[in-house]
Amino acid sequence: MKRISSLFLLSLLSGATTLGAYKLFIEKDNISNSIVTQAPSYYGKSVGLAAENINFVDAADKAVHTVVHVKNVTIRRVSNPIMEFFYGSRGGQQQEQIGTGSGVIISEDGYIVTNNHVIKDATDLEITLNNKKVYKAKLIGTDSKMDIALLKIDADEKLPYSTFADSDQVKVGEWVLAVGNPYNLTSTVTAGIVSAKARNLDTKGIQSFIQTDAAVNPGNSGGALVNTRGELIGINTMISSQTGSYVGYSFAVPSNITRKIIEDIMEFGNVQRGILGVEGGELTGNAFKELGIKDTEGFYIKKVNKNSGAEKAGLKEGDIIKKLDNQKISTFAELSGYINTKRPNDKIVVTYVRDEETKTVPVTLVKNDIISTEFKGLELENITASDKKNFRIEFGVKIKEVTNERLKQYEDELNGSIILNIDGENATDVETVSRLLNDKNENSGTSVQILTKNRQLVRIII
């Protein structure tokens, strides 16, 4: 009996030791791998993992109530040359045209953000809420460069509104929803992922889009791009397609840029643009070899504008910008996208590389209208409101000084004259001209259209 008891105790101890060893070594390994091994149960399902773990329903329900249908009525005058020839000019006939798009409610008292192209030239604006209530809207302000417009309706109730997320924190691969009214189909929700950030489409305005593969079609313009919490991360703006319909990618103005534009319009009545004051481009495989530098990522400074914050802070040609504040900078789109969220006199910290040494410097942004750029011996500056009135023009850059020896003999005529376009592209401001110059060969001839001080249009090759 005593022997049996000893054997039982020995077996019990052996079992406990084995169990302890299993728990300590074998099961520990199984636990550490369990997070990784959950994936195979969803393997092969293209959206299985996301659909089962992310709640699209709550985000969609929150967003659809904040997205509105925008109806734009414009009056155009249509002429009939044949009728006018036989019966004389009658000034044409007025014809009503209707355009539609989407908008996003951003406050409970009825402020709505949409695209500028949705409401452009409107004589009448009508807003339909998700609950089918209809209101007349008034235009508060626009920013055609960034394709953003702010509207206001006077509702008889507090409205559901969208909250802004920090679009700088959006990650590539993150799930997003596009909400809008494509083809007049109200409250349409499509899902996709963020395909890219700071996408440069070489437009004349914004150059830092959020790219997504969520389906966006005509009528979605001005609608919301939201994250899985239903927070606004962008305003759907355009699609890339030869047919005009969705074929794979769509683009949105980031919420941080949108919010800054709206706040400027509401506070100042116009958009306050802060300028860093550098010209250059991103480093590519060929570029860093040609420049003889080791860095393969960053924004390479080719030129620093006079009177700019960059010049005052000591930035120089050849410096490579790596970060603005805490935002990594690899492309011009990333640089311009971040600067577009700032105002004149805002201070940012620029991290850059000079002679293989990383440095940081605070830079105070300046107003767009006080910087200048040099173009083939012509120092240019932005025109003022007074210039626009005097010359009866809407855009252009003024010739401030002539240093080109070939043009010195015409200095008196050129100083104070306005450049309207360069090689057929409108010279809307110094920033645009700087971008045009980066793409042109300095040694090649350039056609320049000039409006002289005597109000004469001339075209010269320089």
Side-chain angles (χ1 to χ4, degrees):
M1 187 69 179
K2 192 174 184 180
R3 183 182 176 116
I4 294 173
S5 298
S6 298
L7 286 172
F8 176 75
L9 182 60
L10 182 61
S11 300
L12 186 62
L13 289 172
S14 298
T17 303
T18 303
L19 180 62
Y22 176 82
K23 288 281 186 181
L24 182 61
F25 298 106
I26 300 175
E27 190 174 274
K28 180 180 179 180
D29 288 341
N30 287 340
I31 291 172
S32 65
N33 290 329
S34 63
I35 296 174
V36 177
T37 56
Q38 288 179 8
S41 63
Y42 305 104
Y43 187 79
K45 299 180 181 179
S46 59
V47 295
L49 181 61
E52 293 176 24
N53 286 274
I54 298 178
N55 190 344
F56 291 97
V57 175
D58 290 345
D61 183 60
K62 182 184 295 185
V64 293
H65 298 295
T66 68
V67 175
V68 301
H69 182 269
V70 181
K71 180 181 175 182
N72 168 6
V73 179
T74 59
I75 304 297
R76 299 189 183 277
R77 192 171 295 278
V78 181
S79 62
N80 187 324
I82 297 177
M83 295 292 289
E84 290 178 5
F85 177 79
F86 285 107
Y87 300 103
S89 176
R90 297 185 180 181
Q93 293 182 330
Q94 288 188 341
Q95 188 178 80
E96 183 178 275
Q97 293 185 339
I98 296 176
T100 60
S102 304
V104 184
I105 304 172
I106 58 170
S107 69
E108 65 180 15
D109 58 344
Y111 281 99
I112 295 168
V113 63
T114 184
N115 286 142
N116 179 65
H117 75 260
V118 169
I119 55 85
K120 187 178 180 180
D121 300 325
T123 55
D124 189 49
L125 289 168
E126 186 177 276
I127 301 296
T128 304
L129 305 183
N130 189 58
N131 61 11
K132 303 299 186 292
K133 289 187 177 181
V134 179
Y135 297 95
K136 294 292 183 181
K138 63 179 179 179
L139 179 62
I140 302 300
T142 67
D143 182 6
S144 58
K145 183 174 183 179
M146 297 299 175
D147 199 18
I148 292 295
L150 182 64
L151 312 178
K152 177 69 165 64
I153 62 173
D154 294 322
D156 53 6
E157 59 183 327
K158 290 185 177 180
L159 301 175
Y161 60 94
S162 185
T163 57
F164 283 78
D166 182 355
S167 54
D168 288 339
Q169 302 305 314
V170 172
K171 305 297 183 185
V172 173
E174 180 179 335
W175 279 99
V176 290
L177 300 178
V179 186
N181 304 281
Y183 304 116
N184 284 324
L185 301 172
T186 59
S187 305
T188 298
V189 180
T190 56
I193 62 168
V194 174
S195 306
K197 292 180 62 181
R199 181 65 79 197
N200 185 353
L201 300 181
D202 198 28
T203 64
K204 292 187 170 45
I206 183 175
Q207 297 169 0
S208 187
F209 292 95
I210 295 175
Q211 178 181 322
T212 174
D213 63 356
V216 171
N217 281 293
N220 268 112
S221 290
L225 186 70
V226 301
N227 59 24
T228 54
R229 295 182 296 276
E231 299 164 337
L232 190 68
I233 63 170
I235 298 297
N236 296 316
T237 297
M238 62 187 298
I239 56 180
S240 180
S241 167
Q242 295 179 342
T243 65
S245 296
Y246 173 78
V247 292
Y249 295 111
S250 53
F251 303 91
V253 181
S255 59
N256 285 3
I257 294 177
T258 303
R259 182 178 59 207
K260 187 262 181 185
I261 291 170
I262 292 166
E263 290 172 349
D264 280 359
I265 290 173
M266 294 180 70
E267 185 174 351
F268 304 103
N270 55 36
V271 180
Q272 306 288 300
R273 302 198 191 284
I275 299 295
L276 181 60
V278 295
E279 301 173 23
E282 62 189 86
L283 292 174
T284 62
N286 293 328
F288 75 84
K289 290 179 182 179
E290 293 174 2
L291 295 168
I293 56 180
K294 295 181 180 180
D295 283 279
T296 59
E297 286 188 325
F299 181 86
Y300 182 82
I301 299 177
K302 294 180 182 177
K303 184 179 178 182
V304 178
N305 295 126
K306 294 180 181 179
N307 303 321
S308 67
E311 181 190 53
K312 295 173 182 177
L315 291 174
K316 298 179 180 179
E317 176 185 349
D319 291 345
I320 302 168
I321 296 178
K322 307 292 272 185
K323 290 170 66 177
L324 298 179
D325 292 332
N326 292 319
Q327 293 297 312
K328 181 181 176 182
I329 301 298
S330 298
T331 66
F332 175 71
E334 290 175 340
L335 184 143
S336 63
Y338 189 75
I339 294 298
N340 281 330
T341 66
K342 303 298 180 181
R343 297 184 179 89
N345 298 320
D346 281 354
K347 289 185 178 181
I348 61 172
V349 176
V350 177
T351 301
Y352 65 100
V353 173
R354 178 185 295 171
D355 299 328
E356 300 184 16
E357 183 180 349
T358 300
K359 302 180 179 182
T360 61
V361 63
V363 177
T364 301
L365 304 182
V366 299
K367 281 188 176 182
N368 189 26
D369 56 4
I370 70 170
I371 70 165
S372 60
T373 191
E374 190 174 358
F375 166 56
K376 293 194 172 184
L378 298 176
E379 187 174 334
L380 309 176
E381 62 183 3
N382 285 321
I383 59 176
T384 64
S386 177
D387 291 327
K388 290 182 180 181
K389 183 178 180 180
N390 291 338
F391 285 94
R392 296 180 181 178
I393 55 177
E394 292 298 322
F395 61 86
V397 292
K398 182 186 286 186
I399 299 174
K400 183 179 180 182
E401 185 179 350
V402 178
T403 58
N404 186 320
E405 290 301 324
R406 288 198 306 111
L407 300 175
K408 269 290 185 180
Q409 58 184 317
Y410 309 109
E411 184 174 9
D412 290 340
E413 291 88 350
L414 289 175
N415 279 344
S417 295
I418 308 295
I419 292 180
L420 296 178
N421 67 59
I422 298 173
D423 281 346
E425 295 198 55
N426 290 341
T428 53
D429 53 31
V430 168
E431 190 179 7
T432 301
V433 171
S434 297
R435 182 169 51 81
L436 291 175
L437 300 183
N438 287 334
D439 300 330
K440 296 186 182 298
N441 187 336
E442 186 68 24
N443 297 319
S444 63
T446 301
S447 174
V448 179
Q449 186 186 52
I450 297 176
L451 180 61
T452 69
K453 291 180 288 187
N454 297 325
R455 310 298 190 272
Q456 293 181 322
L457 272 177
V458 298
R459 187 175 293 278
I460 63 174
I461 304 294
I462 60 175

